[in-house]
Amino acid sequence: MKLYTNYKGNILTNFGAVVAKMAKVDFELVLADQKVKDSKDFKAKNLTGKFPFLETPEGCLVESLAIAKHFARLGNADLLGKDAFERAQVDQWAHWAMGHVMPNAYVVMQAVFGWGGPNPVVATADYNDANKALKEQLKVVNTQMKGAFLLGDNVTVADIVLAAVFLTPFQTVLDGGFRKAMAKAGAWFEKVTALPEFVAVFGHVRACAKPMKPVLIPEEKKKAAPKPVAAAKPKEEKKEEKKDINPLDALPPTKFDLFNFKTFFVNNKDKAGEGIDETLKQVDFEGFAFWFIHYDKYGSEGQVLYKTDNLLNGFMQRIDHFKKHAFARHAVTGEEGNYDIEGVWLFRGTTIPQEMIDHPQFEYCTHRKMDCVNNAAD
């Protein structure tokens, strides 16, 4: 049998693959490129053009739940429930996951990962509604848990489907503080995602400690109605308000002009030669420091270029306000199927600034201070 998918990391394909492994059913995973999709033979087999798509000796199947349940029937029917009522419960949870949880998860993923192009596509109200709904839905799971799994002590297709759908919300918005109140649901999620078959397909899963910040459509500010003109009052002496001072602005003065250096470096055509030489001459290493920052991927991250680009863009958008005290070259590196997000950052001061520490994705990054003067590797 051949299980076709349109991209690596497709959740709908992956939960079917997990069920197949649990049922010990052999299959070949095929990544369908555009040439395959456009072929007459493929179009004749896959009438809907949707993925995942399963080719069997008996015929072809579409729809992810149908495929997962077919794998279970072939190798381990108990994954669908041990009696008629349990089979109905499996259907109940699986359809609820796909019809109710998945739409909310998709809205959150669009906002957090910047899906939809360079401009935000999710409104604040829609994001808040989806985020709130996901939390309410996890509460439902929490209150219904009677054992280790949804139907008791035996894992079923329902557990695999629901955990797969909740996977990204657990990694992005269902933070540690919220999960503490959802102890049963949290333990269930950890148990399912730790199954060897689940790990073999999705990789090791780590839930977020803090929620990631979404990138949302800017809200238009309403113009305030003009206030009636009041009678003039005697002038009072204005009291000077103390403004909060950024600790980086309070550092000892430096002769290094970061703004002008950025202008020079960006416009210099020989960045690897003259650009680097001039950098080492100009930078005040007592008042600035270079840092190497590398994003630690999870599961299937880094396999698809456009998704990796979206992760990078989301990261940069959330630190855009810090341009005054930083300069960086942060990019996607690697090759098809194994991309990384990493870069070199120049920060004011000699430690990681608080603005970067507060970045919601920084806790998932490794970093080291570079010594560009004494270490040739840097």
Side-chain angles (χ1 to χ4, degrees):
M1 288 187 291
K2 292 183 179 181
L3 179 60
Y4 291 86
T5 187
N6 52 340
Y7 63 89
K8 293 180 180 179
N10 186 327
I11 290 174
L12 304 180
T13 304
N14 283 357
F15 69 61
V18 174
V19 174
K21 288 180 178 294
M22 295 182 73
K24 296 184 173 13
V25 175
D26 293 329
F27 68 96
E28 177 187 354
L29 183 62
V30 180
L31 180 59
D33 57 21
Q34 197 59 48
K35 184 178 180 180
V36 172
K37 296 177 189 175
D38 293 338
S39 68
K40 291 182 179 179
D41 180 60
F42 187 78
K43 289 181 178 179
K45 294 175 183 176
N46 186 2
L47 298 179
T48 66
K50 303 293 184 181
F51 293 90
F53 158 63
L54 182 67
E55 184 178 2
T56 79
E58 296 79 21
C60 300
L61 286 175
V62 292
E63 295 300 326
S64 53
L65 286 182
I67 292 170
K69 290 168 73 173
H70 182 64
F71 279 139
R73 291 190 187 97
L74 289 176
N76 183 358
D78 284 348
L79 288 171
L80 297 173
K82 293 186 176 181
D83 54 40
F85 183 69
E86 282 197 356
R87 287 192 287 274
Q89 285 182 302
V90 169
D91 286 342
Q92 164 193 277
W93 283 111
H95 286 289
W96 180 71
M98 298 296 292
H100 297 273
V101 183
M102 176 68 88
N104 294 316
Y106 184 73
V107 171
V108 167
M109 287 187 283
Q110 279 186 305
V112 171
F113 297 129
W115 290 359
N119 299 317
V121 296
V122 179
T124 301
D126 293 336
Y127 173 79
N128 290 339
D129 288 346
N131 197 5
K132 181 180 178 182
L134 282 172
K135 292 181 176 180
E136 291 298 326
Q137 287 162 341
L138 192 62
K139 287 180 182 179
V140 171
V141 177
N142 194 66
T143 57
Q144 294 298 312
M145 291 300 300
K146 306 299 181 184
F149 300 103
L150 291 172
L151 270 61
D153 295 325
N154 298 313
V155 64
T156 65
V157 168
D159 295 290
I160 305 304
V161 173
L162 188 57
V165 173
F166 264 120
L167 186 68
T168 303
F170 263 80
Q171 293 176 313
T172 56
V173 294
L174 300 176
D175 59 283
F178 172 75
R179 295 196 309 273
K180 282 183 180 179
M182 303 290 115
K184 291 181 180 179
W188 160 79
F189 181 79
E190 289 181 5
K191 195 172 187 67
V192 176
T193 56
L195 292 169
E197 297 86 353
F198 200 99
V199 174
V201 175
F202 284 96
H204 294 282
V205 177
R206 185 171 73 180
C208 64
K210 296 185 292 184
M212 294 176 66
K213 293 180 181 178
V215 180
L216 303 171
I217 298 173
E219 293 183 317
E220 293 184 7
K221 293 182 179 179
K222 295 181 179 179
K223 294 182 180 180
K227 295 180 180 179
V229 180
K233 293 182 180 180
K235 290 185 177 180
E236 296 180 2
E237 291 185 4
K238 292 184 178 179
K239 293 182 180 179
E240 291 187 5
E241 295 182 3
K242 291 185 178 180
K243 295 182 178 180
D244 292 334
I245 299 176
N246 188 316
L248 299 180
D249 291 323
L251 291 173
T254 177
K255 293 181 179 180
F256 178 52
D257 188 332
L258 181 59
F259 178 81
N260 286 331
F261 169 75
K262 289 181 183 181
T263 304
F264 157 76
F265 194 86
V266 169
N267 293 301
N268 192 296
K269 295 181 180 179
D270 184 18
K271 291 181 173 59
E274 182 187 1
I276 295 300
D277 292 340
E278 195 63 28
T279 297
L280 296 178
K281 290 179 185 178
Q282 288 192 29
V283 173
D284 169 19
F285 287 99
E286 292 184 359
F288 290 80
F290 282 102
W291 293 84
F292 177 75
I293 296 178
H294 179 271
Y295 175 70
D296 291 333
K297 297 178 290 187
Y298 301 103
S300 60
E301 287 181 342
Q303 295 180 355
V304 182
L305 180 57
Y306 83 88
K307 287 190 174 184
T308 311
D309 280 336
N310 286 337
L311 280 173
L312 170 66
N313 293 335
F315 184 95
M316 297 306 293
Q317 286 172 349
R318 292 173 180 83
I319 198 67
D320 189 64
H321 64 284
F322 193 50
K323 290 179 179 178
K324 179 182 176 183
H325 296 295
F327 183 50
R329 178 62 173 169
H330 208 63
V332 173
T333 62
E335 56 188 15
E336 181 66 34
N338 186 26
Y339 295 110
D340 285 295
I341 299 175
E342 56 191 9
V344 175
W345 290 71
L346 178 63
F347 291 129
R348 181 73 166 103
T350 56
T351 59
I352 294 285
Q354 192 62 43
E355 286 83 353
M356 180 59 85
I357 294 173
D358 290 339
H359 192 298
Q361 287 171 271
F362 185 67
E363 65 175 313
Y364 306 116
C365 296
T366 56
H367 60 275
R368 67 175 178 85
K369 193 173 184 179
M370 300 172 70
D371 185 354
C372 301
V373 177
N374 302 308
N375 187 352
D378 288 339

